Amino acid sequence: MRLIVHALLLCLTLFGLSVRAETAHNLYQVREPVASQQPEERNQALVRALDTLVLRLSGDAKASQSPALASVRQDPQQLISQYGYEGRTLVVDFDPVTTERALRQAGIALWSANRPTILAWWLNRGTASTSLVGDGQEAAVPLQEAAQNRGLPLRLPLADLEEQLLATPEQLTSAQPGALTQASERYGADALLAVDAAEADGKWQAQWRLWLGDSREQGTAEGVDSAAVADAVMLAVNQRLAPRFVVAPGAGQSLDLEVQGATLARYAELSRLLEPFGARLIRVEGDRLAYQVNASPEQLRAQLALVGLQESPVESPTAPAPSADPQATPAPLIVPRDNLLRFHW
């Protein structure tokens, strides 16, 4: 392996790389509201924090109720590195290594920290005013907190006049992203989230649509206030995205992966992206990297799309020409490999 890495350093050149996927920050930190700092209230909040973290990591609302996690839920502190209070919020830091080991031993499929960045076109239609939520606005805080709570890297547009005019309820609830696609290009996100959130009868309701590559998800959510509806939307988005990226213990198959167009920066990013699949670098040829991974082809394709990799067709071998000599031994039939995937930048 040391020789391979040395060869990599010699072969790859230093070009820039525009990567959109992000590492979800503070993925193992949970902020849980509390009514007091009494021990009983704290212990209940620690269990709720664990449930929030398991849902954040798995996208499975039932995962934390697994019998295999019963002992951990009885004593969450065995996974916690520290906790403390900020006003009426209990801030809990879980130890990533211990937590991941416990969840995998319980058979829970996990989503790595490498997650698609989401650009949210979020229209708030309150009783007093209507506006597109922009980065840096006070109205952006509940969205950012909800995205953090659900483990989603979130970006918001600038919400300038042109974007305010573009983000109409009709546009945000349309079956196709339309003009939002072009307007989103300058933000360099992986996924586009369009939300029309309206206040009515003392609560908030939202219609949302999510586009990631060629796939689309949609749904509705509601909450008692703007913060609650934001969290409900982000939770739904987490649960729709997670199945594409989670890696179940022992799942998948042995695959050979070849990636062309690598640079040093791309190698580092690719290594981090392939970590959940137990990737092993086996060969370096110029700007081509060859790995062995354990994954399903669908999961691998979804993960690699996060850094803009495009799949290259695997050439089918040419069948041997028939011999003119009827006594000649037939040439062996070459069977195409079904465990090889090729990608390029």
Side-chain angles (χ1 to χ4, degrees), residues 8-16 261-266 286-287:
L8 183 69
L9 295 173
L10 292 175
C11 295
L12 299 184
T13 55
L14 288 168
F15 294 114
T263 65
L264 284 176
R266 286 171 172 169
D287 67 346

Side-chain angles (χ1 to χ4, degrees), residues 7 55 58 86 126 155 204 220 234 245 299 310 329:
L55 180 53
S58 68
E86 293 182 3
R155 296 180 186 175
W204 283 79
T220 60
M234 296 303 172
F245 301 99
Q299 280 184 327
Q310 301 179 37
T329 302

Side-chain angles (χ1 to χ4, degrees), residues 8-339:
L8 183 69
L9 295 173
L10 292 175
C11 295
L12 299 184
T13 55
L14 288 168
F15 294 114
L17 171 63
S18 175
V19 176
R20 295 174 294 176
E22 293 183 5
T23 299
H25 298 295
N26 296 323
L27 192 62
Y28 287 83
Q29 183 182 91
V30 179
R31 304 174 66 86
E32 192 66 34
V34 291
S36 71
Q37 296 187 14
Q38 295 299 316
E40 184 178 355
E41 173 69 17
R42 179 197 63 211
N43 293 337
Q44 293 175 354
L46 291 178
V47 175
R48 295 198 302 270
L50 175 63
D51 292 344
T52 296
L53 179 65
V54 173
L55 180 53
R56 181 189 296 174
L57 296 177
S58 68
D60 183 356
K62 299 179 180 179
S64 65
Q65 304 302 318
S66 168
L69 282 182
S71 62
V72 175
R73 294 187 80 247
Q74 289 177 358
D75 180 22
Q77 294 197 46
Q78 60 187 290
L79 304 182
I80 294 172
S81 58
Q82 64 179 6
Y83 64 84
Y85 292 93
E86 293 182 3
R88 291 192 175 274
T89 300
L90 180 63
V91 182
V92 186
D93 289 309
F94 290 87
D95 179 72
V97 175
T98 306
T99 301
E100 182 174 333
R101 183 188 305 119
L103 297 184
R104 290 199 180 279
Q105 288 177 346
I108 296 175
L110 301 181
W111 187 2
S112 76
N114 299 298
R115 304 189 172 193
T117 56
I118 300 171
L119 176 66
W121 294 86
W122 190 294
L123 185 66
N124 274 340
R125 293 193 288 132
T127 55
S129 63
T130 297
S131 64
L132 175 68
V133 179
D135 188 36
Q137 296 179 4
E138 183 179 351
V141 175
L143 274 61
Q144 293 163 337
E145 290 179 347
Q148 169 65 34
N149 191 41
R150 300 308 175 183
L152 299 173
L154 183 71
R155 296 180 186 175
L156 294 170
L158 297 175
D160 55 24
L161 179 59
E162 183 178 353
E163 292 176 342
Q164 291 279 358
L165 295 174
L166 173 64
T168 63
E170 293 76 20
Q171 176 66 69
L172 296 180
T173 57
S174 173
Q176 299 297 331
L180 291 179
T181 301
Q182 183 176 357
S184 301
E185 289 179 354
R186 63 170 167 164
Y187 297 106
D190 298 294
L192 190 160
L193 175 65
V195 183
D196 177 31
E199 185 181 12
D201 300 327
K203 62 181 179 181
W204 283 79
Q205 296 181 333
Q207 296 184 57
W208 62 269
R209 283 175 167 76
L210 177 74
W211 290 271
L212 176 61
D214 296 329
S215 64
R216 185 189 74 182
E217 302 282 353
Q218 65 183 53
T220 60
E222 64 179 30
V224 295
D225 53 27
S226 59
V229 77
D231 190 65
V233 170
M234 296 303 172
L235 173 58
V237 170
N238 172 291
Q239 292 178 301
R240 299 294 182 88
L241 287 179
R244 306 183 191 186
F245 301 99
V246 295
V247 181
Q253 64 186 87
S254 179
L255 297 173
D256 290 334
L257 170 66
E258 293 183 0
V259 180
Q260 187 168 13
T263 65
L264 284 176
R266 286 171 172 169
Y267 164 70
E269 179 64 19
L270 186 60
S271 297
R272 182 167 59 89
L273 207 66
L274 293 175
E275 184 178 353
F277 305 113
R280 185 166 65 91
L281 182 64
I282 58 176
R283 189 171 65 256
V284 178
E285 296 176 351
D287 67 346
R288 186 189 298 270
L289 307 177
Y291 292 88
Q292 283 186 344
V293 300
N294 189 68
S296 72
E298 294 74 20
Q299 280 184 327
L300 195 58
R301 290 184 177 105
Q303 193 84 339
L304 295 179
L306 296 181
V307 289
L309 278 164
Q310 301 179 37
E311 188 168 3
S312 304
V314 178
E315 299 176 359
S316 299
T318 304
S323 173
D325 184 358
Q327 303 299 320
T329 302
L333 179 64
I334 302 176
V335 179
R337 294 176 59 185
D338 59 0
N339 69 329

